[in-house]
């Protein structure tokens, strides 16, 4: 595919789906190089300008900061009238999981101050989506609106924050539309990371509007301060489209800032200024810098996790408190992102569901994916643990270090493949004897401040730092396993309409063929056939993704079929020759190149 065609094609994609030039060769990088690549990609979150797109609003841009001030004022108003008001954070996949984490922490802070807990979360697919991949409900705008309506029953004022990094999820579009139709009660906020003109404009099934319509209506209402769009551009993700990375981190940074600012204004009479918003963002930037200054340890952890996955063994995160949630979130994202098995990377939290405090309570009866306590780990995983399995502890000096030591001692009787990410403070460091229990310790010592309420901010920083590390570890490990081609996750699971479109985009990107040709190959791969019957071609995307969910290697199969002009069975045979998907794709693309040469 010539460069001109390729760059035109790239231009047509929204920022969140683009290929990041920084990480183009991540698939050939070793772990130390990978850390540098990810560091550079994450740096874009905070950059004032990105060279090739100087016109987009950035996190530090004045209009973005001003919108944050406006939204924080909304938070303040809700807090001042707690009986009648509600703040709702909602999203799908990672966006919903971050919503859950923020709401949990914010409510706990309110509770500690004897205030009413007025924050609520919605995640598409319900609480089971906190731990497992539930991609299909993302496509349902009616479900989104219905869930919102239910949560807000009886409330007079609702500040609704709909998170969709790609500004694409129909579930969130349905909720925002619902709010726009009831502006007497709702003040809707859209958080995403594309300019409005790049919001998804593809029609939503059984729906009269698309995401872009809603985003434009929101922008129009923003002039009257009845709705707000918060959409700084962060640059493309390190793995194309993987919004769990920068998108998730920025969601956390932005929403924590507005929630805390609203809180301080309401209970401490602090005046909200753009400067204080900027200062909070700068503090997060320091977290980013401090975290990546431990690049050697981070690279060592990527290497270890990669080795475990290469040996078809497992990576287990054992986290305490909210770091446990960060671990489970990172682990659950590997399933849709890398087509991983739920057992490949798994997260556990001390005290299981009683620590999670999710709305639907203990979900452990739903199946093995929902077994999440450290005790469950000891009972169910430890007996069959192998030396090849990597265990990563996630804790801070504020956790029960006696408990940490006891568990580590227990595990060391079976394996020394034990590592840790541990946060402490200048005046309160983790004793050496604790650190010595682990083969690799990424120990970050943070400045200590005695200011009141600083403990929440400190914990938020530890969470962000841990998120950056785990995103790097799970991404790096899957790259080392050969799941990524260039910086595309080529073997993605095609489980909803966004991923269906992304699959076609990837095929177009690598074959240079038209959208129609690529879609036809994709459908042949999904339905495992060479002759698409009428009922297959006329079926809607929901049916396609439903079938695709039960198939393996859908996109690689379609790619081989196009590139080698071969039938389905031949493509499968080609892929069977390789145990690593990247090698299979490489061989297919190179064979065509050499025929042409
Ligand atoms: C992305 C992750 C997905 C997304 C979800 C929502 O890395 O695997 O689960 O979070 O699809 O995306 P968005 O763009 O609406 O926030």
């Amino acid at each position: 595919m010539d460069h001109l065609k390729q760059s035109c094609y790239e231009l047509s994609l929204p920022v969140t789906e683009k290929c990041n030039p920084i990480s183009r060769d991540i698939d050939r990088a070793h772990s130390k190089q990978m850390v540098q690549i990810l560091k550079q990609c994450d740096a874009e979150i905070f950059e004032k300008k990105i060279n090739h797109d100087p016109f987009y609003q950035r996190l530090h841009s004045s209009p973005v900061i001003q919108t944050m001030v406006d939204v924080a004022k909304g938070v303040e108003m809700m807090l001042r009238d707690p009986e009648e008001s509600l703040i709702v954070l909602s999203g799908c996949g990672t966006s919903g999981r971050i919503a859950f984490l923020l709401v949990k922490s914010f409510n706990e802070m309110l509770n500690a101050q004897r205030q009413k807990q007025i924050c609520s979360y919605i995640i598409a697919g319900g609480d089971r989506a906190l731990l497992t991949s539930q991609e299909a409900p993302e496509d349902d705008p009616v479900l989104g609106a219905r869930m919102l309506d239910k949560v807000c029953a009886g409330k007079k004022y609702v500040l609704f924050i709909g998170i969709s990094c790609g500004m694409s999820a129909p579930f969130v579009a349905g909720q925002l539309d619902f709010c726009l139709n009831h502006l007497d009660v709702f003040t809707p906020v859209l958080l995403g990371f594309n300019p409005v003109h790049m919001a998804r404009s593809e029609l939503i099934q059984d729906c009269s509007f698309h995401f872009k319509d809603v985003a434009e209506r929101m922008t129009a209402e923003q002039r009257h301060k009845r709705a707000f769009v918060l959409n700084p551009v962060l640059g493309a993700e390190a793995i194309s489209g993987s919004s769990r990375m920068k998108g998730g981190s920025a969601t956390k940074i932005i929403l924590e800032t507005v929630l805390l600012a609203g809180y301080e204004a309401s209970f401490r009479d602090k005046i909200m200024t753009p400067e204080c918003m900027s200062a909070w963002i700068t503090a997060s930037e320091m977290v980013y810098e401090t975290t990546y200054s431990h690049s050697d340890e981070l690279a060592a952890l990527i290497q270890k996790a990669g080795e475990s996955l290469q040996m078809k063994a497992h990576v287990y995160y054992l986290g305490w408190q909210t770091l446990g949630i960060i671990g489970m979130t990172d682990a659950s994202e590997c399933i849709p992102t890398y087509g991983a098995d739920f057992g490949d990377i798994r997260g556990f939290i001390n005290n299981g569901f009683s620590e999670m405090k999710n709305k639907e309570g203990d979900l452990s009866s739903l199946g093995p994916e929902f077994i999440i306590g450290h005790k469950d780990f000891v009972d169910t995983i430890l007996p069959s643990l192998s030396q090849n399995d990597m265990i990563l502890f996630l804790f801070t000096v504020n956790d029960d270090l006696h408990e940490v030591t006891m568990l580590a001692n227990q595990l060391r009787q079976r394996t020394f493949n034990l590592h840790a990410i541990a946060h402490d403070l200048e005046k309160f460091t983790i004793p050496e004897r604790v650190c010595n229990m682990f083969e690799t310790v990424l120990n970050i010592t943070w400045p200590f401040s005695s200011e009141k309420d600083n403990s929440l901010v400190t914990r938020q920083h530890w969470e962000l730092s841990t998120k950056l590390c785990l995103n790097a570890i799970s991404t790096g490990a899957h790259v080392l396993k050969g799941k990524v081609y260039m910086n595309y996750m080529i073997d993605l699971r095609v489980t909803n309409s966004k991923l269906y479109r992304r699959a076609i985009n990837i095929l177009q990107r690598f074959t240079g063929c038209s959208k129609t040709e690529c879609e036809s190959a994709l459908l042949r791969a999904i339905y495992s056939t060479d002759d698409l019957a009428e009922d297959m071609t006329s079926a809607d995307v929901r049916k396609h993704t439903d079938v695709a969910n039960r198939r393996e290697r859908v996109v690689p199969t379609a790619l081989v079929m196009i590139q080698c002009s071969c039938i389905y069975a031949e493509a499968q045979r080609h892929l069977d020759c390789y145990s690593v998907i990247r090698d299979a794709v490489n061989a297919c693309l190179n064979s065509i190149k050499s025929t042409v040469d």
Side-chain angles (χ1 to χ4, degrees):
M1 192 179 186
D2 62 53
H3 286 303
L4 185 64
K5 235 169 150 187
Q6 196 171 312
S7 58
C8 289
Y9 158 82
E10 268 290 312
L11 280 175
S12 69
L13 295 176
V15 178
T16 52
E17 289 288 323
K18 282 190 200 299
C19 154
N20 195 322
I22 298 169
S23 57
R24 209 188 323 249
D25 296 326
I26 196 167
D27 61 336
R28 281 183 271 147
H30 54 68
S31 50
K32 281 196 174 179
Q33 291 168 326
M34 258 187 245
V35 174
Q36 294 314 314
I37 291 172
L38 295 173
K39 180 181 177 186
Q40 269 182 279
C41 286
D42 278 339
E44 291 181 324
I45 298 177
F46 306 101
E47 264 168 30
K48 306 242 154 67
K49 262 186 196 154
I50 291 186
N51 291 340
H52 49 276
D53 49 19
F55 304 113
Y56 297 151
Q57 288 188 9
R58 315 279 313 166
L59 188 50
H60 276 293
S61 306
S62 312
V64 172
I65 300 282
Q66 185 52 51
T67 308
M68 285 174 68
V69 173
D70 292 338
V71 176
K73 283 188 182 143
V75 172
E76 180 192 355
M77 275 164 62
M78 301 295 129
L79 289 171
R80 287 194 188 278
D81 189 359
E83 293 309 320
E84 308 270 24
S85 310
L86 193 67
I87 302 170
V88 182
L89 271 54
S90 173
C92 313
T94 304
S95 299
R97 293 176 198 124
I98 303 272
F100 159 71
L101 173 68
L102 299 181
V103 164
K104 174 184 154 69
S105 299
F106 194 65
N107 276 343
E108 279 170 8
M109 181 174 75
L110 291 175
N111 197 35
Q113 305 292 325
R114 299 211 170 78
Q115 302 294 334
K116 194 164 189 266
Q117 304 186 30
I118 63 158
C119 221
S120 187
Y121 67 90
I122 298 176
I123 177 163
D127 275 1
R128 60 174 65 210
L130 294 174
L131 303 167
T132 56
S133 160
Q134 307 284 331
E135 305 298 312
E138 180 169 330
D139 277 338
D140 195 336
V142 179
L143 177 67
R146 206 179 327 125
M147 282 176 82
L148 177 60
D149 192 20
K150 196 167 159 207
V151 166
C152 302
K155 293 293 167 192
K156 222 165 154 187
Y157 309 107
V158 178
L159 179 70
F160 171 75
I161 305 184
I163 313 158
S164 180
C165 299
M167 313 224 316
S168 69
F171 183 87
V172 174
Q175 295 177 321
L176 292 170
D177 172 71
F178 180 79
C179 295
L180 286 165
N181 294 335
H182 299 89
L183 285 174
D184 49 331
V185 174
F186 291 90
T187 305
V189 179
L190 161 60
L191 177 63
F193 304 108
N194 283 314
V196 167
H197 74 270
M198 288 184 175
R200 188 167 165 192
S201 56
E202 183 191 320
L203 268 183
I204 300 173
Q205 210 164 318
D206 308 326
C207 191
S208 59
F209 53 84
H210 50 54
F211 205 106
K212 193 172 163 194
D213 284 332
V214 176
E216 282 168 352
R217 280 160 63 204
M218 295 276 300
T219 311
E221 292 297 345
Q222 182 152 4
R223 283 178 214 122
H224 314 286
K225 299 217 179 227
R226 287 195 294 241
F228 300 96
V229 182
L230 255 172
N231 60 334
V233 162
L234 313 170
E237 295 286 354
I239 302 298
S240 307
S242 183
S243 57
R244 74 190 194 105
M245 302 181 79
K246 292 202 275 191
S249 302
T251 298
K252 183 165 163 20
I253 295 168
I254 293 171
L255 294 185
E256 277 169 357
T257 304
V258 297
L259 288 171
L260 209 58
Y263 174 88
E264 302 234 303
S266 170
F267 300 118
R268 306 250 147 76
D269 290 327
K270 283 210 179 157
I271 304 201
M272 260 175 271
T273 60
E275 290 70 30
C276 79
M277 297 286 164
S278 296
W280 269 326
I281 294 170
T282 304
S284 298
E285 192 171 352
M286 296 310 291
V287 172
Y288 149 82
E289 269 163 18
T290 307
T291 305
Y292 276 106
S293 70
H294 293 259
S295 55
D296 285 349
E297 298 96 305
L298 190 51
L301 292 174
I302 292 177
Q303 188 61 33
K304 281 283 168 196
E307 283 166 13
S308 291
L309 293 192
Q310 278 163 344
M311 290 186 285
K312 295 200 170 19
H314 312 92
V315 176
Y316 297 112
Y317 301 145
L318 301 186
W320 271 259
Q321 300 188 55
T322 44
L323 297 197
I325 297 177
I326 297 283
M328 289 188 298
T329 299
D330 185 89
S332 63
E333 290 156 352
C334 294
I335 301 163
T337 312
Y338 296 106
D341 202 62
F342 100 88
D344 291 354
I345 301 192
R346 274 183 80 173
F348 295 85
I349 183 169
N350 64 315
N351 302 325
F353 284 99
S354 47
E355 186 67 42
M356 286 275 284
K357 296 195 187 74
N358 53 308
K359 274 189 199 171
E360 293 170 35
D362 191 331
L363 303 176
S364 54
S365 62
L366 294 179
E369 296 104 310
F370 300 92
I371 301 291
I372 58 166
H374 288 176
K375 191 175 172 310
D376 302 316
F377 176 83
V378 169
D379 294 344
T380 60
I381 310 278
L382 186 59
S384 54
L385 199 72
S386 102
Q387 289 286 345
N388 297 337
D389 295 326
M390 178 204 193
I391 299 171
L392 184 59
F393 277 45
L394 315 168
F395 63 96
T396 78
V397 68
N398 291 348
D399 292 313
D400 182 344
L401 295 181
H402 177 64
E403 203 181 289
V404 172
T405 317
M406 291 243 297
L407 187 58
N409 263 329
Q410 198 175 1
L411 303 189
R412 272 162 64 92
Q413 290 171 12
R414 253 205 112 89
T415 180
F416 289 114
N417 200 349
L418 216 62
H419 312 265
I421 297 176
H423 301 276
D424 55 18
L425 295 163
E426 270 160 7
K427 284 194 185 164
F428 301 96
T429 51
I430 294 172
E432 226 169 274
R433 65 178 164 74
V434 178
C435 291
N436 286 343
M437 304 189 82
F438 303 97
E439 194 185 301
T440 323
V441 192
L442 200 167
N443 180 195
I444 310 185
T445 303
W446 301 86
F448 174 75
S449 152
S450 53
E451 248 182 66
K452 216 173 156 227
D453 277 344
N454 211 275
S455 63
L456 177 78
V457 177
T458 304
R459 181 150 272 280
Q460 289 173 340
H461 287 171
W462 290 344
E463 289 163 9
L464 176 63
S465 171
T466 308
K467 178 184 183 297
L468 296 175
C469 292
L470 296 188
N471 285 171
I473 292 167
S474 56
T475 300
H478 281 101
V479 171
L480 291 175
K481 194 183 175 185
K483 284 285 190 175
V484 172
Y485 183 78
M486 292 176 70
N487 54 1
Y488 291 89
M489 173 43 208
I490 208 136
D491 193 16
L492 72 160
R493 260 181 218 215
V494 187
T495 44
N496 64 29
S497 63
K498 173 177 81 174
L499 299 170
Y500 182 81
R501 286 296 150 222
R502 187 180 298 161
I504 296 172
N505 286 340
I506 289 177
L507 291 172
Q508 279 187 265
R509 160 73 180 77
F510 286 108
T511 64
C513 291
S514 69
K515 184 169 169 271
T516 319
E517 284 168 293
C518 292
E519 184 162 13
S520 157
L522 181 67
L523 288 177
R524 281 184 284 142
I526 289 175
Y527 291 101
S528 321
T529 180
D530 294 307
D531 303 302
L532 288 170
E534 160 68 21
D535 63 330
M536 294 170 185
T537 46
S538 59
D540 53 39
V541 174
R542 209 173 292 168
K543 168 86 191 310
H544 301 328
T545 53
D546 194 38
V547 178
N549 200 5
R550 285 171 269 133
R551 297 274 191 272
E552 299 291 324
R553 306 184 305 197
V554 165
V555 182
T557 305
L559 183 74
V560 176
M561 285 166 90
I562 301 175
Q563 283 296 88
C564 305
S565 310
C566 69
I567 59 170
Y568 177 80
E570 276 176 78
Q572 290 291 300
R573 272 199 296 278
H574 170 88
L575 294 174
D576 286 343
C577 297
Y578 298 87
S579 56
V580 174
I581 211 77
R582 181 171 59 114
D583 297 342
V585 171
N586 227 340
C588 161
L589 293 175
N590 284 341
S591 73
I592 293 299
K593 227 194 270 163
S594 55
T595 332
V596 174
D597 294 347

